[in-house]
């Protein structure tokens, strides 16, 4: 239920305080769990697992892949 509540907030853009009671947990609990999971890098790990699974099935379309070229600063005076 906590994961469903987090996904709801992420997809609807509603504030934590506006979380409907249908999820069975207070907004404080859901927000705290989101913060804990974020600190533990759960989202990055889950994303990697999903990519690995889709890749194993051949269901990734790498033709739409983008690489961020600004993530590393160029070395001044370097070769």
């Amino acid at each position: 239920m906590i994961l469903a509540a987090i996904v709801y907030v992420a997809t609807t853009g509603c504030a934590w305080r506006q979380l409907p009671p249908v999820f069975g947990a207070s907004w404080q609990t859901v927000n705290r769990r989101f913060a804990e999971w974020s600190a533990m890098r759960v989202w990055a790990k889950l994303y990697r697992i999903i990519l690995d699974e889709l890749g194993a099935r051949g269901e990734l379309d790498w033709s739409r892949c983008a690489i961020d070229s600004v993530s590393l600063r160029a070395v001044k005076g370097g070769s």
Side-chain angles (χ1 to χ4, degrees):
M1 306 263 322
I2 298 289
L3 179 58
I6 291 171
V7 170
Y8 177 83
V9 170
T11 57
T12 64
C14 82
W16 292 109
R17 292 179 185 264
Q18 296 173 331
L19 187 67
V22 69
F23 293 103
S26 69
W27 70 266
Q28 295 96 330
T29 299
V30 176
N31 179 263
R32 183 174 48 252
R33 193 63 55 87
F34 173 76
E36 290 170 358
W37 290 353
S38 295
M40 294 174 10
R41 299 191 42 82
V42 168
W43 310 117
K45 292 172 187 173
L46 182 60
Y47 183 65
R48 181 62 187 201
I49 290 168
I50 291 170
L51 284 180
D52 287 346
E53 180 65 28
L54 291 173
R57 293 183 193 174
E59 296 180 8
L60 288 179
D61 181 6
W62 291 108
S63 69
R64 299 186 181 271
C65 178
I67 298 174
D68 183 1
S69 62
V70 246
S71 58
L72 296 176
R73 187 178 294 265
V75 179
K76 291 184 179 181
S79 53

